[in-house]
Coordinates of all heavy atoms in Angstrom, one line a residue:
M1 N -24.6 3.1 12.5 CA -23.4 3.7 12.0 C -23.2 3.3 10.5 O -23.4 2.2 10.1 CB -22.1 3.3 12.7 CG -21.2 4.3 13.3 SD -21.7 5.9 13.4 CE -20.3 6.7 12.6
S2 N -22.9 4.2 9.6 CA -22.7 3.8 8.2 C -21.4 3.1 8.1 O -20.5 3.2 8.9 CB -22.8 5.0 7.3 OG -21.7 5.9 7.6
E3 N -21.4 2.3 7.0 CA -20.2 1.5 6.8 C -19.0 2.4 6.4 O -19.2 3.4 5.7 CB -20.5 0.6 5.6 CG -19.7 -0.7 5.7 CD -20.2 -1.7 4.6 OE1 -21.3 -2.1 4.6 OE2 -19.4 -1.9 3.6
V4 N -17.9 2.1 6.9 CA -16.6 2.9 6.5 C -16.2 2.5 5.1 O -16.2 1.3 4.7 CB -15.5 2.6 7.5 CG1 -14.3 3.3 7.1 CG2 -16.0 3.0 8.9
A5 N -15.8 3.5 4.4 CA -15.4 3.2 3.0 C -14.1 2.4 3.0 O -13.4 2.4 4.0 CB -15.1 4.6 2.2
N6 N -13.8 1.9 1.9 CA -12.5 1.1 1.8 C -11.3 2.1 2.0 O -11.5 3.3 1.8 CB -12.3 0.6 0.4 CG -13.3 -0.6 0.1 OD1 -14.1 -1.0 0.9 ND2 -13.1 -1.3 -1.0
C7 N -10.3 1.5 2.5 CA -9.1 2.3 2.8 C -8.7 3.1 1.5 O -8.5 2.5 0.5 CB -8.0 1.4 3.2 SG -6.4 2.3 3.5
P8 N -8.5 4.4 1.6 CA -8.1 5.3 0.5 C -6.6 4.9 0.1 O -6.2 5.3 -1.0 CB -8.3 6.7 1.0 CG -8.2 6.6 2.4 CD -8.7 5.3 2.8
K9 N -5.9 4.3 1.0 CA -4.5 4.0 0.7 C -4.3 2.7 0.0 O -3.7 2.6 -1.0 CB -3.7 4.1 2.0 CG -2.3 4.7 1.9 CD -1.7 4.9 3.2 CE -0.2 5.0 3.1 NZ 0.5 4.9 4.3
C10 N -4.8 1.6 0.6 CA -4.6 0.3 0.1 C -5.8 -0.3 -0.5 O -5.8 -1.4 -1.0 CB -3.9 -0.6 1.1 SG -5.0 -1.0 2.5
E11 N -7.0 0.3 -0.3 CA -8.2 -0.2 -0.9 C -8.8 -1.5 -0.2 O -9.7 -2.1 -0.8 CB -8.1 -0.3 -2.4 CG -8.0 1.0 -3.1 CD -7.6 0.9 -4.5 OE1 -8.0 -0.2 -5.1 OE2 -7.0 1.8 -5.1
M12 N -8.2 -1.8 0.9 CA -8.7 -3.0 1.6 C -10.0 -2.6 2.3 O -10.2 -1.4 2.6 CB -7.7 -3.5 2.6 CG -6.4 -3.9 2.0 SD -6.5 -5.3 0.9 CE -6.1 -6.6 2.1
D13 N -10.9 -3.6 2.6 CA -12.2 -3.2 3.1 C -12.4 -3.6 4.6 O -13.4 -3.7 5.1 CB -13.3 -3.7 2.3 CG -13.3 -5.2 2.1 OD1 -12.4 -5.9 2.8 OD2 -14.1 -5.7 1.4
N14 N -11.3 -3.9 5.3 CA -11.3 -4.3 6.7 C -11.4 -3.0 7.6 O -11.1 -3.1 8.8 CB -10.1 -5.1 7.1 CG -10.0 -6.4 6.3 OD1 -11.1 -7.0 6.0 ND2 -8.9 -6.8 6.0
T15 N -11.7 -1.9 7.0 CA -11.6 -0.6 7.7 C -12.7 -0.5 8.7 O -13.8 -1.2 8.6 CB -11.8 0.5 6.7 OG1 -13.0 0.2 5.9 CG2 -10.6 0.7 5.8
Y16 N -12.5 0.3 9.8 CA -13.5 0.5 10.8 C -13.4 1.9 11.3 O -12.3 2.6 11.2 CB -13.5 -0.5 11.9 CG -12.2 -0.5 12.7 CD1 -12.0 0.3 13.8 CD2 -11.1 -1.3 12.2 CE1 -10.8 0.3 14.5 CE2 -9.9 -1.3 12.9 CZ -9.8 -0.5 14.0 OH -8.6 -0.5 14.7
F17 N -14.4 2.4 12.0 CA -14.4 3.7 12.6 C -14.2 3.5 14.1 O -15.0 2.8 14.7 CB -15.8 4.4 12.3 CG -15.8 5.8 12.8 CD1 -15.0 6.8 12.3 CD2 -16.7 6.2 13.8 CE1 -15.1 8.1 12.7 CE2 -16.8 7.5 14.3 CZ -16.0 8.4 13.8
D18 N -13.2 4.1 14.7 CA -12.9 3.8 16.1 C -13.6 4.9 17.0 O -13.2 4.9 18.2 CB -11.4 3.7 16.3 CG -10.7 5.0 16.3 OD1 -11.3 6.1 16.1 OD2 -9.5 5.0 16.7
G19 N -14.5 5.7 16.5 CA -15.1 6.7 17.3 C -14.6 8.1 17.0 O -15.2 9.1 17.3
V20 N -13.3 8.1 16.5 CA -12.7 9.4 16.2 C -12.3 9.5 14.8 O -12.5 10.5 14.1 CB -11.5 9.6 17.1 CG1 -10.8 10.9 16.9 CG2 -11.9 9.5 18.6
I21 N -11.8 8.4 14.3 CA -11.1 8.4 13.0 C -11.3 7.0 12.4 O -11.5 6.0 13.1 CB -9.6 8.8 13.2 CG1 -9.0 9.3 11.9 CG2 -8.8 7.6 13.7 CD1 -7.8 10.2 12.1
N22 N -11.3 7.0 11.0 CA -11.3 5.7 10.3 C -9.9 5.1 10.4 O -8.9 5.7 10.2 CB -11.7 6.0 8.9 CG -13.1 6.5 8.8 OD1 -14.0 6.2 9.6 ND2 -13.4 7.4 7.8
V23 N -10.0 3.8 10.5 CA -8.7 3.1 10.7 C -8.6 1.9 9.7 O -9.7 1.1 9.5 CB -8.5 2.5 12.1 CG1 -7.2 1.7 12.2 CG2 -8.6 3.6 13.1
C24 N -7.5 1.7 9.1 CA -7.3 0.5 8.2 C -6.3 -0.4 8.9 O -5.1 0.0 9.0 CB -6.8 0.9 6.8 SG -6.3 -0.5 5.9
P25 N -6.7 -1.6 9.4 CA -5.8 -2.5 10.0 C -4.7 -3.1 9.1 O -3.7 -3.6 9.5 CB -6.7 -3.6 10.6 CG -7.9 -3.5 9.8 CD -8.0 -2.2 9.3
D26 N -5.0 -3.0 7.8 CA -4.0 -3.6 6.9 C -2.8 -2.9 6.6 O -1.7 -3.4 6.6 CB -4.7 -3.9 5.5 CG -5.8 -5.0 5.6 OD1 -5.3 -6.1 5.9 OD2 -6.9 -4.8 5.6
C27 N -2.9 -1.5 6.5 CA -1.7 -0.7 6.3 C -1.6 0.3 7.4 O -0.7 1.2 7.3 CB -1.8 0.0 4.9 SG -3.0 1.2 4.8
N28 N -2.4 0.3 8.5 CA -2.3 1.2 9.5 C -2.6 2.6 9.2 O -2.3 3.6 9.9 CB -1.0 1.1 10.3 CG -0.8 -0.2 10.9 OD1 -1.7 -0.8 11.5 ND2 0.4 -0.7 10.8
H29 N -3.3 2.8 8.0 CA -3.7 4.2 7.6 C -4.8 4.6 8.5 O -5.7 3.9 8.8 CB -4.0 4.1 6.2 CG -4.3 5.5 5.6 ND1 -3.4 6.5 5.7 CD2 -5.4 6.0 4.9 CE1 -4.0 7.6 5.1 NE2 -5.1 7.3 4.6
E30 N -4.8 5.9 8.9 CA -5.9 6.5 9.6 C -6.4 7.8 8.8 O -5.5 8.5 8.4 CB -5.5 6.9 11.0 CG -5.1 5.7 11.8 CD -4.7 6.1 13.2 OE1 -4.5 7.3 13.5 OE2 -4.5 5.2 14.1
W31 N -7.6 8.0 8.7 CA -8.1 9.2 8.0 C -9.4 9.6 8.6 O -10.2 8.8 9.1 CB -8.1 8.9 6.5 CG -9.2 8.1 6.1 CD1 -10.4 8.5 5.5 CD2 -9.3 6.6 6.1 NE1 -11.2 7.4 5.2 CE2 -10.6 6.2 5.6 CE3 -8.5 5.6 6.6 CZ2 -11.0 4.9 5.5 CZ3 -8.9 4.3 6.5 CH2 -10.1 4.0 5.9
A32 N -9.7 10.9 8.5 CA -11.0 11.4 9.0 C -12.0 11.3 7.9 O -11.7 11.2 6.7 CB -10.8 12.9 9.4
E33 N -13.3 11.3 8.4 CA -14.4 11.2 7.4 C -14.3 12.2 6.3 O -14.1 13.4 6.7 CB -15.7 11.3 8.2 CG -16.9 10.7 7.5 CD -16.8 9.2 7.3 OE1 -16.7 8.5 8.3 OE2 -16.9 8.8 6.2
G34 N -14.6 11.9 5.1 CA -14.6 12.9 4.0 C -13.2 13.3 3.6 O -13.1 14.3 2.8
E35 N -12.2 12.8 4.2 CA -10.8 13.3 3.9 C -10.1 12.4 2.8 O -9.0 12.7 2.5 CB -10.0 13.2 5.2 CG -8.7 14.0 5.1 CD -7.8 13.6 6.3 OE1 -8.0 14.1 7.4 OE2 -7.0 12.7 6.1
E36 N -10.8 11.3 2.4 CA -10.2 10.4 1.5 C -9.5 11.1 0.3 O -10.1 12.1 -0.2 CB -11.2 9.4 0.9 CG -12.0 8.6 1.9 CD -13.4 9.2 2.1 OE1 -14.0 9.5 1.1 OE2 -13.8 9.5 3.3
Q37 N -8.5 10.5 -0.1 CA -7.8 11.0 -1.3 C -7.1 12.3 -1.2 O -6.6 12.8 -2.2 CB -8.7 11.0 -2.6 CG -9.5 9.7 -2.8 CD -8.5 8.5 -3.1 OE1 -7.3 8.7 -3.3 NE2 -9.0 7.3 -3.2
T38 N -7.2 13.0 -0.1 CA -6.4 14.2 0.0 C -5.0 14.0 0.3 O -4.6 12.9 0.9 CB -7.0 15.1 1.1 OG1 -7.0 14.4 2.3 CG2 -8.5 15.6 0.8
G39 N -4.2 14.9 0.0 CA -2.8 14.8 0.4 C -1.9 13.8 -0.3 O -0.8 13.5 0.0
A40 N -2.6 13.1 -1.4 CA -1.8 12.1 -2.1 C -0.7 12.8 -3.0 O 0.4 12.4 -3.0 CB -2.7 11.3 -2.9
N41 N -1.1 13.9 -3.6 CA -0.2 14.7 -4.4 C 0.6 13.9 -5.4 O 1.6 14.4 -5.9 CB 0.8 15.4 -3.5 CG 0.2 16.3 -2.5 OD1 -0.9 16.9 -2.8 ND2 0.8 16.7 -1.4
D42 N 0.1 12.8 -5.9 CA 0.8 12.1 -6.9 C 2.2 11.7 -6.6 O 3.0 11.4 -7.4 CB 0.8 12.9 -8.2 CG -0.6 13.0 -8.8 OD1 -1.5 12.3 -8.3 OD2 -0.8 13.7 -9.9
V43 N 2.5 11.6 -5.3 CA 3.8 11.2 -4.9 C 3.7 9.8 -4.3 O 2.9 9.6 -3.4 CB 4.5 12.2 -3.9 CG1 5.8 11.6 -3.4 CG2 4.6 13.5 -4.5
A44 N 4.5 8.9 -4.8 CA 4.4 7.5 -4.2 C 5.1 7.6 -2.8 O 6.2 8.1 -2.7 CB 5.2 6.6 -5.2
R45 N 4.4 7.0 -1.9 CA 4.9 7.0 -0.5 C 4.8 5.6 0.1 O 3.8 4.9 -0.2 CB 4.2 7.9 0.4 CG 4.4 9.4 0.0 CD 3.8 10.3 1.0 NE 3.9 11.7 0.5 CZ 4.9 12.5 0.7 NH1 6.0 12.0 1.4 NH2 5.0 13.7 0.2
D46 N 5.8 5.2 0.9 CA 5.7 3.9 1.5 C 4.8 3.9 2.7 O 4.2 4.9 3.0 CB 7.1 3.3 1.8 CG 7.8 4.0 3.0 OD1 7.1 4.9 3.6 OD2 8.9 3.7 3.3
S47 N 4.7 2.7 3.4 CA 3.9 2.7 4.6 C 4.1 3.7 5.6 O 3.3 4.0 6.5 CB 3.9 1.2 5.1 OG 5.2 1.0 5.5
N48 N 5.4 4.2 5.7 CA 5.7 5.2 6.7 C 5.7 6.6 6.2 O 6.0 7.6 6.9 CB 7.2 4.9 7.2 CG 7.3 3.6 7.9 OD1 6.5 3.3 8.6 ND2 8.4 2.9 7.6
G49 N 5.2 6.7 4.9 CA 5.1 8.1 4.3 C 6.3 8.6 3.7 O 6.4 9.7 3.3
A50 N 7.4 7.7 3.6 CA 8.6 8.2 3.0 C 8.4 8.1 1.4 O 7.8 7.2 0.9 CB 9.8 7.2 3.3
E51 N 8.9 9.1 0.8 CA 8.8 9.2 -0.7 C 9.6 8.1 -1.4 O 10.7 7.7 -1.0 CB 9.4 10.5 -1.2 CG 8.3 11.4 -1.7 CD 8.8 12.8 -2.1 OE1 9.5 12.8 -3.2 OE2 8.6 13.8 -1.4
L52 N 9.0 7.5 -2.4 CA 9.6 6.5 -3.2 C 10.1 7.0 -4.5 O 9.4 7.9 -5.1 CB 8.7 5.3 -3.3 CG 8.2 4.6 -2.1 CD1 7.1 3.6 -2.4 CD2 9.4 3.9 -1.4
A53 N 11.1 6.5 -5.0 CA 11.6 6.9 -6.3 C 12.0 5.7 -7.2 O 12.3 4.7 -6.6 CB 12.8 7.9 -6.1
D54 N 12.1 5.9 -8.5 CA 12.7 4.9 -9.3 C 14.0 4.3 -8.8 O 14.9 5.1 -8.5 CB 12.9 5.4 -10.7 CG 11.6 5.4 -11.6 OD1 10.7 4.7 -11.2 OD2 11.6 6.2 -12.6
G55 N 14.1 3.0 -8.7 CA 15.4 2.4 -8.3 C 15.5 2.2 -6.9 O 16.5 1.6 -6.5
D56 N 14.6 2.7 -6.1 CA 14.6 2.4 -4.7 C 14.5 1.0 -4.3 O 13.9 0.2 -5.0 CB 13.5 3.1 -3.9 CG 13.8 4.6 -3.6 OD1 15.0 5.0 -3.8 OD2 12.9 5.3 -3.1
A57 N 15.2 0.5 -3.3 CA 15.0 -0.8 -2.7 C 14.0 -0.8 -1.5 O 14.1 0.1 -0.7 CB 16.3 -1.4 -2.3
V58 N 13.1 -1.7 -1.5 CA 12.1 -1.6 -0.5 C 11.9 -3.1 0.1 O 12.3 -4.1 -0.5 CB 10.7 -1.2 -1.0 CG1 10.8 0.3 -1.4 CG2 10.2 -2.0 -2.1
T59 N 11.2 -3.1 1.3 CA 10.9 -4.4 1.9 C 9.4 -4.5 2.0 O 8.7 -3.6 2.3 CB 11.5 -4.5 3.3 OG1 12.8 -4.2 3.2 CG2 11.2 -5.8 4.0
V60 N 8.9 -5.7 1.7 CA 7.4 -6.0 1.7 C 7.1 -6.2 3.2 O 7.8 -7.0 3.9 CB 7.1 -7.2 0.9 CG1 5.6 -7.5 1.0 CG2 7.5 -7.0 -0.6
I61 N 6.0 -5.5 3.7 CA 5.7 -5.6 5.2 C 4.6 -6.5 5.4 O 4.1 -6.7 6.6 CB 5.4 -4.2 5.7 CG1 4.2 -3.6 5.0 CG2 6.6 -3.3 5.6 CD1 3.7 -2.3 5.7
K62 N 4.0 -7.2 4.4 CA 2.9 -8.1 4.6 C 2.9 -9.2 3.5 O 3.3 -9.0 2.5 CB 1.6 -7.2 4.4 CG 0.3 -7.8 4.7 CD -0.8 -6.7 4.6 CE -2.1 -7.1 5.1 NZ -2.8 -8.1 4.2
D63 N 2.5 -10.4 3.9 CA 2.3 -11.5 2.9 C 1.3 -11.0 1.9 O 0.2 -10.7 2.2 CB 1.9 -12.8 3.6 CG 2.9 -13.4 4.4 OD1 4.1 -12.9 4.3 OD2 2.7 -14.5 5.0
L64 N 1.7 -11.1 0.6 CA 0.8 -10.6 -0.4 C 0.6 -11.7 -1.5 O 1.6 -12.3 -2.0 CB 1.5 -9.4 -1.1 CG 1.7 -8.1 -0.3 CD1 2.5 -7.1 -1.1 CD2 0.4 -7.5 0.2
K65 N -0.7 -11.9 -1.7 CA -1.0 -12.9 -2.8 C -0.9 -12.1 -4.1 O -1.4 -11.0 -4.3 CB -2.4 -13.4 -2.7 CG -2.5 -14.5 -1.6 CD -3.7 -15.3 -2.0 CE -4.0 -16.4 -0.9 NZ -5.0 -16.0 0.0
V66 N -0.3 -12.7 -5.2 CA -0.2 -12.1 -6.4 C -1.4 -12.5 -7.2 O -1.8 -13.6 -7.4 CB 1.1 -12.6 -7.2 CG1 1.1 -11.9 -8.6 CG2 2.3 -12.1 -6.4
K67 N -2.1 -11.5 -7.7 CA -3.4 -11.7 -8.4 C -3.1 -12.6 -9.6 O -2.2 -12.4 -10.4 CB -4.0 -10.4 -8.9 CG -5.1 -9.8 -8.0 CD -5.7 -8.6 -8.6 CE -6.0 -7.7 -7.4 NZ -6.1 -6.2 -7.8
G68 N -4.0 -13.6 -9.9 CA -3.9 -14.3 -11.1 C -2.8 -15.4 -11.0 O -2.5 -16.0 -12.0
S69 N -2.2 -15.6 -9.8 CA -1.2 -16.7 -9.7 C -1.2 -17.3 -8.3 O -1.9 -16.7 -7.5 CB 0.2 -16.2 -10.1 OG 0.7 -15.6 -9.0
S70 N -0.5 -18.4 -8.1 CA -0.5 -18.9 -6.8 C 0.7 -18.4 -6.0 O 1.0 -18.8 -4.9 CB -0.3 -20.5 -6.9 OG 0.8 -20.8 -7.6
M71 N 1.4 -17.5 -6.6 CA 2.5 -16.9 -5.9 C 2.2 -16.0 -4.7 O 1.2 -15.3 -4.7 CB 3.3 -16.1 -6.9 CG 4.6 -15.6 -6.5 SD 5.4 -14.7 -7.9 CE 6.8 -13.9 -7.0
V72 N 3.0 -16.2 -3.6 CA 2.8 -15.3 -2.5 C 4.1 -14.6 -2.3 O 5.2 -15.2 -2.2 CB 2.3 -16.1 -1.3 CG1 2.3 -15.2 0.0 CG2 1.0 -16.8 -1.5
I73 N 4.1 -13.3 -2.1 CA 5.3 -12.6 -1.7 C 5.3 -12.5 -0.2 O 4.4 -11.9 0.4 CB 5.2 -11.2 -2.4 CG1 5.1 -11.3 -3.9 CG2 6.5 -10.4 -2.0 CD1 4.8 -10.0 -4.6
K74 N 6.3 -13.1 0.3 CA 6.3 -13.1 1.8 C 6.8 -11.8 2.4 O 7.6 -11.1 1.9 CB 7.4 -14.2 2.2 CG 7.0 -15.6 1.9 CD 6.1 -16.1 3.1 CE 5.7 -17.5 2.8 NZ 4.6 -17.8 3.6
R75 N 6.2 -11.6 3.6 CA 6.6 -10.4 4.3 C 8.1 -10.5 4.5 O 8.6 -11.5 4.8 CB 5.9 -10.5 5.7 CG 5.8 -9.1 6.4 CD 5.1 -9.3 7.7 NE 6.0 -10.0 8.7 CZ 5.8 -10.0 10.0 NH1 4.7 -9.5 10.5 NH2 6.7 -10.6 10.7
G76 N 8.8 -9.3 4.4 CA 10.2 -9.3 4.6 C 11.0 -9.5 3.3 O 12.2 -9.4 3.3
T77 N 10.3 -9.8 2.2 CA 10.9 -9.9 0.9 C 11.5 -8.6 0.5 O 10.9 -7.6 0.6 CB 9.9 -10.4 -0.2 OG1 9.3 -11.6 0.2 CG2 10.6 -10.4 -1.5
K78 N 12.7 -8.7 0.1 CA 13.4 -7.4 -0.3 C 13.2 -7.3 -1.8 O 13.4 -8.2 -2.6 CB 14.9 -7.5 0.0 CG 15.3 -7.5 1.4 CD 16.2 -6.4 1.8 CE 16.8 -6.5 3.2 NZ 15.9 -6.9 4.2
V79 N 12.8 -6.1 -2.2 CA 12.6 -5.8 -3.6 C 13.6 -4.7 -4.1 O 13.7 -3.7 -3.5 CB 11.2 -5.3 -3.9 CG1 10.9 -5.0 -5.3 CG2 10.1 -6.3 -3.4
R80 N 14.4 -5.1 -5.0 CA 15.4 -4.2 -5.5 C 14.8 -3.4 -6.7 O 14.1 -3.9 -7.5 CB 16.7 -4.9 -6.0 CG 17.7 -5.1 -4.9 CD 18.8 -5.9 -5.3 NE 18.6 -7.2 -4.7 CZ 18.8 -8.4 -5.3 NH1 19.0 -8.4 -6.6 NH2 18.7 -9.5 -4.7
S81 N 15.1 -2.2 -6.8 CA 14.9 -1.4 -7.9 C 13.4 -1.3 -8.4 O 13.0 -1.9 -9.4 CB 15.8 -1.9 -9.1 OG 16.0 -1.0 -10.1
I82 N 12.6 -0.6 -7.6 CA 11.2 -0.5 -8.0 C 11.1 0.6 -9.1 O 12.1 1.4 -9.3 CB 10.4 0.0 -6.8 CG1 10.9 1.3 -6.2 CG2 10.3 -1.1 -5.7 CD1 10.0 2.0 -5.2
R83 N 10.0 0.6 -9.8 CA 9.7 1.6 -10.8 C 8.4 2.2 -10.5 O 7.4 1.5 -10.2 CB 9.6 0.9 -12.2 CG 10.9 0.4 -12.7 CD 11.0 0.6 -14.2 NE 12.4 1.0 -14.5 CZ 12.7 2.3 -14.8 NH1 11.8 3.2 -14.7 NH2 13.9 2.6 -15.1
L84 N 8.4 3.5 -10.5 CA 7.1 4.2 -10.2 C 6.2 4.0 -11.4 O 6.6 3.9 -12.5 CB 7.3 5.7 -9.9 CG 8.3 6.0 -8.8 CD1 8.3 7.5 -8.6 CD2 7.9 5.3 -7.5
T85 N 4.9 4.1 -11.1 CA 3.9 4.0 -12.2 C 3.1 5.3 -12.2 O 3.3 6.2 -11.4 CB 2.9 2.8 -12.0 OG1 2.1 3.1 -10.8 CG2 3.6 1.5 -11.8
E86 N 2.1 5.4 -13.1 CA 1.3 6.6 -13.1 C 0.4 6.7 -11.9 O -0.1 7.7 -11.5 CB 0.4 6.6 -14.4 CG 1.2 6.8 -15.6 CD 0.4 6.7 -16.8 OE1 -0.9 6.6 -16.7 OE2 0.9 6.8 -18.0
N87 N 0.1 5.5 -11.2 CA -0.6 5.5 -10.0 C 0.3 5.6 -8.8 O 1.1 4.8 -8.6 CB -1.4 4.2 -10.0 CG -2.3 4.2 -8.8 OD1 -2.2 5.0 -7.8 ND2 -3.3 3.3 -8.8
P88 N 0.2 6.7 -8.0 CA 1.1 6.9 -6.9 C 1.0 5.8 -5.8 O 1.8 5.7 -4.9 CB 0.7 8.3 -6.4 CG -0.6 8.5 -6.8 CD -0.8 7.8 -8.1
E89 N -0.1 5.0 -5.9 CA -0.3 3.9 -4.9 C 0.3 2.6 -5.3 O 0.3 1.6 -4.6 CB -1.8 3.8 -4.6 CG -2.4 5.0 -4.0 CD -3.9 4.8 -3.8 OE1 -4.4 3.8 -4.2 OE2 -4.5 5.7 -3.3
E90 N 0.9 2.6 -6.6 CA 1.4 1.3 -7.1 C 2.8 1.5 -7.6 O 3.1 2.6 -8.3 CB 0.5 0.8 -8.2 CG -0.8 0.4 -7.7 CD -1.8 -0.1 -8.8 OE1 -1.5 0.1 -10.0 OE2 -2.8 -0.7 -8.4
V91 N 3.6 0.5 -7.5 CA 5.0 0.5 -8.1 C 5.2 -0.8 -8.8 O 4.6 -1.8 -8.4 CB 6.1 0.8 -7.1 CG1 6.0 2.1 -6.5 CG2 6.2 -0.3 -6.0
D92 N 5.9 -0.8 -9.9 CA 6.3 -1.9 -10.6 C 7.6 -2.4 -10.0 O 8.5 -1.7 -9.6 CB 6.6 -1.6 -12.1 CG 5.3 -1.6 -12.9 OD1 4.4 -2.4 -12.6 OD2 5.3 -0.9 -13.9
C93 N 7.8 -3.8 -10.0 CA 9.0 -4.3 -9.7 C 9.1 -5.7 -10.2 O 8.2 -6.3 -10.8 CB 9.1 -4.4 -8.1 SG 8.0 -5.6 -7.4
K94 N 10.3 -6.3 -10.1 CA 10.6 -7.7 -10.6 C 10.9 -8.5 -9.4 O 11.8 -8.2 -8.6 CB 11.7 -7.7 -11.6 CG 11.2 -7.2 -12.9 CD 12.0 -7.9 -14.0 CE 11.3 -7.7 -15.3 NZ 11.9 -8.2 -16.5
I95 N 10.1 -9.6 -9.2 CA 10.4 -10.6 -8.2 C 10.6 -12.0 -8.9 O 9.7 -12.4 -9.6 CB 9.4 -10.6 -7.1 CG1 9.3 -9.3 -6.4 CG2 9.6 -11.8 -6.1 CD1 8.2 -9.1 -5.4
D96 N 11.7 -12.6 -8.7 CA 12.0 -13.9 -9.3 C 11.7 -13.8 -10.9 O 11.2 -14.7 -11.4 CB 11.1 -15.0 -8.7 CG 11.5 -15.3 -7.3 OD1 12.6 -15.0 -6.9 OD2 10.6 -15.9 -6.6
G97 N 12.1 -12.7 -11.5 CA 11.9 -12.6 -12.9 C 10.6 -12.2 -13.4 O 10.4 -12.0 -14.6
S98 N 9.6 -12.1 -12.5 CA 8.2 -11.7 -12.9 C 8.0 -10.3 -12.6 O 8.4 -9.8 -11.5 CB 7.2 -12.5 -12.1 OG 7.5 -13.9 -12.1
S99 N 7.3 -9.6 -13.5 CA 7.0 -8.2 -13.3 C 5.7 -8.2 -12.4 O 4.7 -8.8 -12.8 CB 6.6 -7.5 -14.6 OG 7.8 -7.2 -15.2
I100 N 5.8 -7.5 -11.3 CA 4.7 -7.5 -10.4 C 4.4 -6.0 -10.0 O 5.3 -5.2 -9.8 CB 5.1 -8.3 -9.2 CG1 5.1 -9.8 -9.6 CG2 4.1 -8.1 -8.0 CD1 5.6 -10.7 -8.6
V101 N 3.1 -5.7 -9.8 CA 2.7 -4.4 -9.3 C 2.4 -4.5 -7.8 O 1.7 -5.4 -7.4 CB 1.5 -3.9 -10.1 CG1 1.0 -2.6 -9.4 CG2 1.8 -3.7 -11.5
L102 N 3.1 -3.7 -7.1 CA 2.9 -3.8 -5.6 C 2.2 -2.4 -5.1 O 2.5 -1.4 -5.7 CB 4.2 -3.9 -4.9 CG 4.9 -5.2 -5.1 CD1 6.3 -5.2 -4.4 CD2 4.1 -6.4 -4.5
K103 N 1.4 -2.6 -4.1 CA 0.8 -1.4 -3.5 C 1.8 -0.8 -2.6 O 2.4 -1.4 -1.8 CB -0.4 -1.8 -2.6 CG -1.6 -2.3 -3.4 CD -2.4 -1.1 -3.8 CE -3.7 -1.6 -4.6 NZ -4.4 -0.5 -5.2
T104 N 2.0 0.5 -2.7 CA 3.1 1.2 -1.9 C 2.8 1.1 -0.4 O 3.8 1.1 0.4 CB 3.2 2.7 -2.3 OG1 1.9 3.3 -2.1 CG2 3.6 2.8 -3.7
C105 N 1.5 0.9 0.0 CA 1.3 0.9 1.4 C 1.7 -0.4 2.1 O 1.7 -0.5 3.3 CB -0.2 1.2 1.8 SG -1.4 0.0 1.1
F106 N 2.1 -1.4 1.3 CA 2.7 -2.6 1.8 C 4.2 -2.6 1.7 O 4.8 -3.7 1.9 CB 2.1 -3.8 1.1 CG 0.6 -4.0 1.2 CD1 -0.2 -4.2 0.1 CD2 0.0 -3.8 2.4 CE1 -1.6 -4.4 0.3 CE2 -1.4 -3.9 2.6 CZ -2.2 -4.2 1.5
L107 N 4.8 -1.5 1.4 CA 6.3 -1.5 1.2 C 6.9 -0.5 2.3 O 6.2 0.4 2.8 CB 6.5 -0.9 -0.1 CG 5.9 -1.7 -1.3 CD1 6.3 -1.0 -2.6 CD2 6.4 -3.1 -1.3
K108 N 8.1 -0.8 2.6 CA 8.9 0.0 3.5 C 10.3 0.2 2.9 O 10.9 -0.7 2.5 CB 8.9 -0.7 4.9 CG 9.5 0.1 6.0 CD 9.5 -0.7 7.3 CE 10.5 -1.8 7.1 NZ 10.7 -2.5 8.4
K109 N 10.7 1.4 2.9 CA 12.0 1.7 2.4 C 13.1 1.3 3.3 O 12.9 1.3 4.5 CB 12.1 3.2 2.2 CG 12.7 3.6 0.9 CD 12.6 5.1 0.9 CE 13.4 5.7 -0.3 NZ 13.2 7.1 -0.5
Ligands
ZN1 ZN1 -5.1 0.5 4.1

């Protein structure tokens, strides 16, 4: 069996093929072979597929290491007032005064 591509949603590589569909255990995204990147439509969506907008408050659903620092954003952290970026998979926010980019698949409205 060929290797499953990285998750099209969160880009993690713990993905596997369960016999029917590709599965990402990190964000619970499932997609069919060759279907990557479809349906994104440049709309930022949270882990449940809910649309995100500037100023929305979200909750982090997974412990996240912040690149380039020792900071960890704990699961359950509430983030007030996100800002959409040009990338529908990422939003800007401020946590403890630091500007941080979060993957939308780790957020829940
Ligand atoms: Zn994923």
